[in-house]
Amino acid sequence: MCAQRLWPTVQALGRGLVSSRSEIIQQGVKAYNAQNFNPNHLSQGHSISSHDRFPLSQRIIHTSRGSFNKVVARSFHSGTVLLVKEFNDTENEHAHAVLRSLPAYHATTVAKEETSGSTFYHQYTFPPLDSEWARCSADEVANRFIATSQECRYRPMDLEDRKHSELCSALVRNLRQLSDNQLLQVLSALSLWPPTNATTTPNFVALWNALDQACTERINRWDMTRMFLVADHWYALRLSRISMYNIQMTKLLGRKVSTMGPTQLVQYLFYANLSRKLEPFIIKKDIEKRISEVLTQISIEELGVIAMGFFKTQTFLKNERLVQGIVKKTQENLDCVSDASLCAILKLLRKSIPVTQWKLLHSLLDSLVPQLDRLNHMCLLQVALLGNDLLVYHPQAIDIIASKFASDISSIRLKDIERITFALMLYNCVPPSRPDIFSLIAEELRKPERTMEINHYPKCFVSCVVYLTTLGFFPQDLISAALQPSMLNLLSMSRHYSDMGREVSELEWAMVIEGPPNYQGYRLNPDLRQQLTREYLGNLPVGSIKGMTHQEKLLIEVKEKLAAMLGGHEFLTITHVLPHVQTPDLVFCTDAEGQPVVLPQEYRDLAATDLKRPLGRPGEIQWNTVVVAGRNSFIRNTEELRGNVHMRKRQLSTLGYYVSVIPYMEYNRKSLRAKLSCLDRSLKEGSSLCLDGRVESAWVNLKASMEKQEEMIG
């Protein structure tokens, strides 16, 4: 109801912004198809093939957008894109329905049909003049407001109508004189009125603010049952997130979680979810400990409410025993858990399972596979994303989910298409059952029905295009739409898109390195490309080893060993060959016989933000890069590179480098000889270096150097 009350105001605020954004995709499409571009944004090329074009017949859809995160629904018959109630509200409605379905919560929750009935409707006549309200007692004013509210059931009225202003004013003046029960009845009656234009319309804001203050003033004398019941009436008004009462209640009860019963703990976390925060002073480990104690006493649906409370307050679990208990309970109830509750539990587990427990995550994915056919798209997506944070890849689950998404792609939200594309990119996965999914995604993004959705969520569109290019798929028209100036301006307008410059830079550099030769679409202005590259350029490892990251230390150590194999530091350097990749690489050269060649000074002098192409004529010098692949470069418990590293390797090869990859899990072995053996194997597989005798020579020199250092320290 809060969203309904605010929506007309939000529309008014949004119209100005939308008028400048609603044709963004159309402009990019028309410009791309007509090849009518600003020369400053173009690369040279030729005409494009018809299958790489947006349709020219897209219809512009004018929409508005405010502060609410709305989702998009579609008619299964027409494919029409429509704005509907935000998904978060649906989640909250489900959680509340869970509470209402259980007898233990009946005394502390209220259903819509249980709001003030018709007790007073025919019993009270109303004063003929506004001046007579001053003579009414507090009881009379409250009863008459309740009766008027009940009349709205049969004859909807506008609370902001002038004829109700004196009644509202009289009620505000008399609230403090009402009993607790009367206060609750008035609060309930307020929800019977049709929504006003905003939460700030005069009569409505005066009433709810006064009720909020009155409830907050009395909260300390109420028991937990009364507190929850009043809080649920604020939920019925959809004012929980902005009411002081809800904030004060979650603060007050936050100190009592250790003594809460199972149902009280569940309901407390439901209201914490509505306010989107747990106060800093609340001891999270006490909540986790109490949940561990009551876990066997609550249902899987109640666990879903708890999970939602944690996830929506950005509070993730630290207690490994509790995490294990939640995984076990979830596995035991997979046959009966609802999609919404499972969705909430999976969201929480994705952020809570520690890396040391990654096998637990894989076990859960094993258990989920037989359930995939019955789950809805939102839940399937959470299964697909479950292993992302720990890089735990379950090929069977991802393949089934990708196949289901491909089959139903026209009915799936743009946000969800973007997320499934991310999962496929992360694991560098081409689903065996639907290898055509990338073409289907591109075609879906081209559809006129998606225009409005893309205007609302441009970040999702651009990210989708970036993930496709990371996978080596280059839809030229979509790339042009993503790089057009109007799209870039839109991305820069929102603080929520503050990190999109990195993805835009990656897309631009991908086009520089791998872009189709006939591409004639938009490109970044050179100055903007330079600016973004400089902003997101990673650091080179310099200074004390003590202050370096694990990856930087690993890079320096590999450099020392490789320099010993090559014959000196003059033969190699650390640099950002690909300026859009965060971590740098090692570069060295050999001649045609595979012998090390001193790096040209011209190469060393290249600017940090430059793309480092091999210098000289092909065949004269062989150029090599060594990618030191750290712990986050590989899919968990495998030797398979994650998608971004695959792209990095592919782009280095495209530039003309021989590419060797040093896997940290093998290189991290303790002995010097084992480290050199790892380098030897990797260089044999990927470099042009002749390795005859180099490992043994490097071992002798490094061993002598280590002994000399030990003598000096001694």
Side-chain angles (χ1 to χ4, degrees):
M1 189 176 296
C2 183
Q4 291 174 319
R5 294 183 188 281
L6 282 173
W7 184 238
T9 300
V10 170
Q11 284 181 314
L13 291 173
R15 286 187 191 111
L17 175 62
V18 172
S19 64
S20 65
R21 80 157 70 170
S22 61
E23 299 189 15
I24 282 176
I25 298 300
Q26 290 290 24
Q27 291 169 359
V29 171
K30 289 178 179 177
Y32 188 80
N33 291 333
Q35 301 179 25
N36 180 24
F37 304 110
N38 179 342
N40 292 330
H41 297 284
L42 287 178
S43 63
Q44 297 301 314
H46 305 287
S47 62
I48 59 172
S49 60
S50 60
H51 71 272
D52 268 339
R53 297 185 182 183
F54 267 110
L56 285 169
S57 59
Q58 287 200 27
R59 181 170 62 88
I60 298 171
I61 303 172
H62 294 277
T63 61
S64 58
R65 180 179 184 228
S67 59
F68 293 97
N69 296 318
K70 299 174 296 302
V71 301
V72 175
R74 298 161 193 80
S75 163
F76 287 102
H77 300 291
S78 67
T80 304
V81 184
L82 302 169
L83 286 177
V84 295
K85 196 174 186 180
E86 62 172 350
F87 182 73
N88 288 343
D89 273 0
T90 306
E91 289 180 311
N92 293 335
E93 291 290 350
H94 171 82
H96 192 262
V98 168
L99 302 184
R100 286 295 308 159
S101 70
L102 299 171
Y105 299 94
H106 284 181
T108 54
T109 58
V110 59
K112 290 181 180 178
E113 61 272 15
E114 292 177 2
T115 52
S116 296
S118 55
T119 310
F120 300 95
Y121 180 42
H122 296 295
Q123 296 183 17
Y124 292 93
T125 57
F126 296 92
L129 300 173
D130 286 346
S131 60
E132 294 188 29
W133 285 115
R135 298 201 303 268
C136 293
S137 68
D139 287 352
E140 284 183 297
V141 173
N143 290 338
R144 289 172 179 177
F145 177 78
I146 293 168
T148 307
S149 303
Q150 289 160 356
E151 189 177 353
C152 290
R153 289 175 178 265
Y154 313 99
R155 185 171 63 88
M157 296 178 286
D158 183 3
L159 184 63
E160 299 306 321
D161 194 313
R162 288 178 58 188
K163 67 182 181 182
H164 302 307
S165 295
E166 286 301 319
L167 170 59
C168 293
S169 297
L171 184 59
V172 168
R173 291 194 300 270
N174 286 279
L175 277 180
R176 287 182 175 171
Q177 300 174 46
L178 299 181
S179 68
D180 290 347
N181 287 336
Q182 287 175 312
L183 186 66
L184 194 58
Q185 287 176 332
V186 169
L187 187 61
S188 177
L190 183 57
S191 66
L192 298 176
W193 291 81
T196 58
N197 289 340
T199 58
T200 55
T201 54
N203 289 343
F204 182 63
V205 72
L207 278 176
W208 82 257
N209 277 339
L211 283 164
D212 192 18
Q213 183 177 353
C215 292
T216 305
E217 288 173 353
R218 303 184 190 200
I219 194 170
N220 287 313
R221 70 189 195 207
W222 290 341
D223 61 17
M224 204 176 299
T225 298
R226 170 76 68 168
M227 286 186 202
F228 284 156
L229 183 58
V230 172
D232 216 59
H233 279 81
W234 284 107
Y235 171 70
L237 281 166
R238 298 300 185 266
L239 292 172
S240 296
R241 192 166 183 180
I242 58 175
S243 70
M244 281 304 300
Y245 176 82
N246 204 57
I247 294 171
Q248 186 63 24
M249 185 198 71
T250 52
K251 279 184 180 179
L252 194 63
L253 295 184
R255 303 181 188 277
K256 302 179 180 180
V257 292
S258 299
T259 59
M260 284 183 183
T263 58
Q264 292 172 329
L265 189 60
V266 172
Q267 197 165 357
Y268 170 74
L269 286 169
F270 171 71
Y271 298 121
N273 156 33
L274 297 178
S275 64
R276 291 295 190 271
K277 66 183 295 188
L278 284 175
E279 296 299 324
F281 69 81
I282 296 174
I283 303 173
K284 310 297 191 299
K285 66 179 182 180
D286 287 351
I287 299 180
E288 292 188 35
K289 181 183 177 184
R290 187 62 185 138
I291 295 172
S292 295
E293 293 168 351
V294 305
L295 191 59
T296 59
Q297 303 172 48
I298 60 175
S299 69
I300 189 67
E301 295 299 321
E302 288 172 294
L303 178 58
V305 176
I306 286 176
M308 197 182 301
F310 271 90
F311 184 81
K312 291 300 176 62
T313 59
Q314 295 296 294
T315 306
F316 303 113
L317 306 176
K318 303 293 184 184
N319 186 324
E320 292 191 19
R321 179 174 159 236
L322 174 58
V323 169
Q324 292 167 6
I326 290 175
V327 170
K328 182 181 177 185
K329 190 177 188 75
T330 304
Q331 289 175 311
E332 292 171 347
N333 290 275
L334 282 176
D335 289 334
C336 61
V337 63
S338 66
D339 287 9
S341 292
L342 180 58
C343 209
I345 293 168
L346 295 180
K347 284 180 180 180
L348 177 62
L349 289 175
R350 175 161 61 94
K351 295 292 185 180
S352 298
I353 294 181
V355 65
T356 54
Q357 297 289 325
W358 69 267
K359 291 182 180 178
L360 196 64
L361 193 53
H362 203 280
S363 170
L364 178 57
L365 284 164
D366 282 339
S367 302
L368 284 162
V369 168
Q371 304 293 328
L372 297 180
D373 283 341
R374 76 167 182 86
L375 300 180
N376 64 23
H377 292 140
M378 187 61 68
C379 205
L380 286 172
L381 181 64
Q382 293 309 317
V383 177
L385 299 176
L386 186 57
N388 285 10
D389 288 25
L390 300 185
L391 292 170
V392 175
Y393 177 37
H394 197 288
Q396 185 182 6
I398 294 293
D399 183 45
I400 293 172
I401 294 167
S403 179
K404 291 177 75 67
F405 269 55
S407 299
D408 301 330
I409 197 162
S410 62
S411 63
I412 294 172
R413 302 185 310 167
L414 175 63
K415 284 183 173 183
D416 299 339
I417 292 175
E418 182 259 332
R419 288 288 83 196
I420 194 65
T421 310
F422 171 76
L424 295 173
M425 179 278 295
L426 184 67
Y427 303 124
N428 197 49
C429 172
V430 178
S433 62
R434 290 308 296 257
D436 63 336
I437 191 171
F438 305 123
S439 297
L440 291 173
I441 289 169
E443 284 303 318
E444 195 61 33
L445 295 178
R446 294 183 177 109
K447 287 184 178 179
E449 296 91 337
R450 292 286 181 179
T451 303
M452 180 179 68
E453 201 176 358
I454 291 171
N455 289 337
H456 277 289
Y457 304 107
K459 178 184 184 298
C460 291
F461 172 78
V462 174
S463 293
C464 242
V465 175
V466 172
Y467 301 150
L468 290 175
T469 58
T470 301
L471 285 156
F473 189 79
F474 287 79
Q476 298 181 36
D477 55 335
L478 299 180
I479 293 169
S480 181
L483 290 177
Q484 64 179 303
S486 50
M487 177 67 79
L488 302 179
N489 288 338
L490 178 56
L491 292 174
S492 67
M493 287 167 60
S494 173
R495 61 183 176 84
H496 299 294
Y497 303 157
S498 60
D499 200 40
M500 281 303 293
R502 185 188 303 279
E503 292 194 7
V504 169
S505 177
E506 288 177 4
L507 182 57
E508 168 65 16
W509 281 115
M511 292 302 293
V512 171
I513 299 166
E514 303 178 277
N518 62 340
Y519 178 75
Q520 293 188 355
Y522 279 105
R523 294 282 292 274
L524 289 189
N525 179 288
D527 291 339
L528 178 57
R529 183 176 75 185
Q530 178 76 1
Q531 175 190 330
L532 291 174
T533 303
R534 188 181 300 110
E535 182 177 351
Y536 293 104
L537 188 69
N539 297 320
L540 293 176
V542 292
S544 168
I545 289 285
K546 203 171 190 179
M548 291 183 184
T549 65
H550 178 272
Q551 178 64 24
E552 288 171 337
K553 292 176 183 176
L554 187 61
L555 187 65
I556 289 293
E557 188 182 333
V558 171
K559 181 189 176 188
E560 293 301 316
K561 307 296 185 294
L562 184 56
M565 294 176 71
L566 294 172
H569 285 277
E570 67 273 17
F571 292 103
L572 79 164
T573 188
I574 297 178
T575 187
H576 287 96
V577 181
L578 305 174
H580 56 290
V581 173
Q582 189 77 9
T583 54
D585 300 313
L586 296 165
V587 177
F588 68 91
C589 297
T590 69
D591 58 21
E593 284 73 41
Q595 299 304 311
V597 175
V598 174
L599 274 175
Q601 189 60 41
E602 182 184 357
Y603 186 88
R604 292 180 182 273
D605 291 341
L606 289 171
T609 55
D610 286 347
L611 180 65
K612 317 299 189 305
R613 296 182 183 274
L615 303 179
R617 295 178 182 177
E620 289 181 345
I621 299 179
Q622 311 294 331
W623 288 81
N624 292 263
T625 57
V626 176
V627 176
V628 181
R631 63 184 66 184
N632 290 323
S633 298
F634 294 89
I635 295 169
R636 185 73 54 191
N637 202 42
T638 75
E639 293 185 4
E640 292 296 318
L641 295 169
R642 61 184 289 179
N644 310 75
V645 187
H646 265 288
M647 177 198 72
R648 178 180 183 178
K649 189 177 176 184
R650 186 182 72 235
Q651 290 182 350
L652 289 169
S653 296
T654 301
L655 289 174
Y657 288 91
Y658 288 88
V659 185
S660 305
V661 177
I662 310 298
Y664 86 97
M665 55 274 202
E666 182 181 345
Y667 183 82
N668 268 355
R669 293 172 183 169
K670 297 291 185 183
S671 75
L672 174 60
R673 189 172 289 279
K675 292 178 187 292
L676 291 172
S677 295
C678 174
L679 285 177
D680 181 56
R681 183 184 63 77
S682 298
L683 291 168
K684 279 179 181 175
E685 290 178 359
S687 79
S688 65
L689 179 65
C690 176
L691 287 155
D692 293 346
R694 293 191 178 277
V695 169
E696 194 61 33
S697 174
W699 186 81
V700 171
N701 291 334
L702 289 169
K703 193 72 174 173
S705 176
M706 290 169 61
E707 289 173 353
K708 185 175 180 180
Q709 286 181 1
E710 288 173 1
E711 287 179 9
M712 291 175 62
I713 293 172

